[in-house]
Amino acid sequence: MVGSSHEALHRIFQKDPTLLTKALQKVLHVPFPEPREIAALNIDLTEIEPVERRVDTLLRAETDEGTYLLVVESQGKVDERKRGSWPYYLSYLYEKYRCEPVLIVITQSSSTARWASRPIRLGFPGWESLTVRPLVLGPDNVPVIADERQAEKDVPLAVLSAMTHGRGPQAAAILESLAAALRTIDPDSAAVFVQFVDSCLADAQAKQMWRDLMTAIQYFWRHPLAEQVREEGREEGLEQGLEQGRIQDRQEMTLRILEWRGIPVPDSVRERVTNCTDLDQLEVWAQRAVHASQAAELFADE
């Protein structure tokens, strides 16, 4: 199970390797050739000497123009040690595989993205022996996908958008669009993407809203991560098998989804939701809250 944003940010490319080449072509505008085949490689770069070095994700892309090694590094903050390790990774991989290595750095931080995009030049100024130019994916160039139809056209890219922009002002629209788009793909893939997004949401309110959205459309609870959340709920006394705890949870979730989406909740609607003790009815209202344009739509056709 993915337990951190660091892992999720690069493992999404293991789940869908084609997303990486699309990001190179459409986000970074690098004329990378269309791969015929992409395969995951061993990420361990350890030598015989007891010095362990590992890249985050390593893919081999076979194209009509040659074979490339796609080296993906998830970077949470500025780390000057990378000035030494990244050039080492690339030169070692070239020597081992005799394929051209391409370094891609992904981050959720704009400042880290600016730092990572600076070329690494080793040697005498103006006559550098080695220059490394990382290709960087971050909040400033990954597209914001806040439209449901756009998200449905490319669900992996919509997942990357949510992982990258999950703390910004458009987080609500991004997560809502992605939640709807996940309905259009197979449940197993959706469950994996749900976990990637959950791992990357640092903002507590956004994370709670994401879990509410996933609960409402029944994807989240198919995944092992749900057991962790249920355990957290048990510790809080909400998942002890008590009917009242489940009812209260659904009442609060329905209202939270509306409020998070910026939809005003009149007292009459709030009162009707909080007075309802029918768990099945509350489930229906929670699902309607994901798409409702006004609070009264919870009670449509009733």
Side-chain angles (χ1 to χ4, degrees):
M1 186 178 75
V2 177
S4 69
S5 61
H6 175 91
E7 289 294 305
L9 280 171
H10 70 86
R11 283 181 58 180
I12 186 176
F13 299 117
Q14 298 176 18
K15 169 64 179 173
D16 187 345
T18 62
L19 175 61
L20 187 55
T21 56
K22 285 187 290 187
L24 289 174
Q25 296 165 352
K26 298 179 181 180
V27 178
L28 299 176
H29 305 293
V30 174
F32 191 84
E34 197 66 34
R36 296 190 306 271
E37 178 185 354
I38 299 181
L41 300 179
N42 191 332
I43 61 174
D44 192 347
L45 307 185
T46 305
E47 301 180 67
I48 296 177
E49 298 296 326
V51 178
E52 183 176 298
R53 299 180 187 272
R54 294 177 184 270
V55 296
D56 289 331
T57 286
L58 180 60
L59 303 171
R60 180 173 58 204
E62 302 285 351
T63 78
D64 291 337
E65 299 178 19
T67 301
Y68 294 89
L69 299 177
L70 304 179
V71 185
V72 184
E73 285 283 281
S74 174
Q75 196 67 29
K77 60 182 180 179
V78 173
D79 184 355
E80 291 298 335
R81 293 176 299 177
K82 297 298 184 180
R83 282 181 51 82
S85 58
W86 285 343
Y88 170 83
Y89 294 164
L90 300 181
S91 59
Y92 176 86
L93 287 169
Y94 179 78
E95 176 63 22
K96 180 176 181 179
Y97 293 100
R98 289 297 169 175
C99 301
E100 299 294 341
V102 180
L103 175 62
I104 301 102
V105 179
I106 181 166
T107 180
Q108 294 175 293
S109 165
S110 293
S111 59
T112 301
R114 289 191 295 271
W115 162 79
S117 64
R118 296 202 302 263
I120 300 172
R121 296 185 172 91
L122 302 180
F124 185 75
W127 297 88
E128 289 81 6
S129 300
L130 177 64
T131 300
V132 175
R133 296 180 57 193
L135 298 169
V136 182
L137 295 168
D140 297 327
N141 57 13
V142 172
V144 173
I145 299 180
D147 177 78
E148 180 178 332
R149 292 181 181 177
Q150 187 181 1
E152 290 176 357
K153 290 180 180 178
D154 195 334
V155 175
L157 187 59
V159 173
L160 184 62
S161 176
M163 293 163 62
T164 309
H165 300 283
R167 67 178 67 186
Q170 301 187 74
I174 293 171
L175 296 180
E176 181 186 346
S177 298
L178 177 58
L182 288 176
R183 296 173 180 267
T184 65
I185 65 175
D186 69 277
D188 291 335
S189 292
V192 175
F193 288 145
V194 165
Q195 187 191 11
F196 286 156
V197 175
D198 190 88
S199 298
C200 285
L201 292 175
D203 180 78
Q205 184 181 16
K207 185 183 287 286
Q208 183 59 56
M209 291 305 104
W210 176 243
R211 292 181 173 183
D212 287 345
L213 288 168
M214 293 302 96
T215 302
I217 63 175
Q218 303 298 319
Y219 276 127
F220 179 66
W221 301 101
R222 292 172 53 89
H223 198 276
L225 178 61
E227 182 57 35
Q228 173 187 333
V229 178
R230 284 194 286 272
E231 182 62 33
E232 295 171 359
R234 280 192 286 270
E235 293 175 0
E236 297 172 1
L238 297 178
E239 287 287 334
Q240 298 175 341
L242 300 177
E243 187 75 4
Q244 184 57 43
R246 290 193 290 270
I247 290 172
Q248 181 179 351
D249 182 54
R250 291 302 182 272
Q251 291 171 342
E252 294 174 352
M253 181 182 70
T254 301
L255 296 174
R256 276 201 308 267
I257 291 175
L258 290 173
E259 293 169 349
W260 179 62
R261 296 181 58 223
I263 297 175
V265 182
D267 291 340
S268 59
V269 172
R270 187 179 301 276
E271 182 178 356
R272 184 169 176 180
V273 172
T274 55
N275 287 339
C276 180
T277 57
D278 184 335
L279 190 59
D280 291 336
Q281 182 63 74
L282 288 168
E283 290 281 5
V284 172
W285 289 348
Q287 293 182 41
R288 289 177 179 173
V290 175
H291 301 287
S293 58
Q294 53 184 353
E297 291 180 13
L298 294 184
F299 317 125
D301 303 326
E302 295 178 14

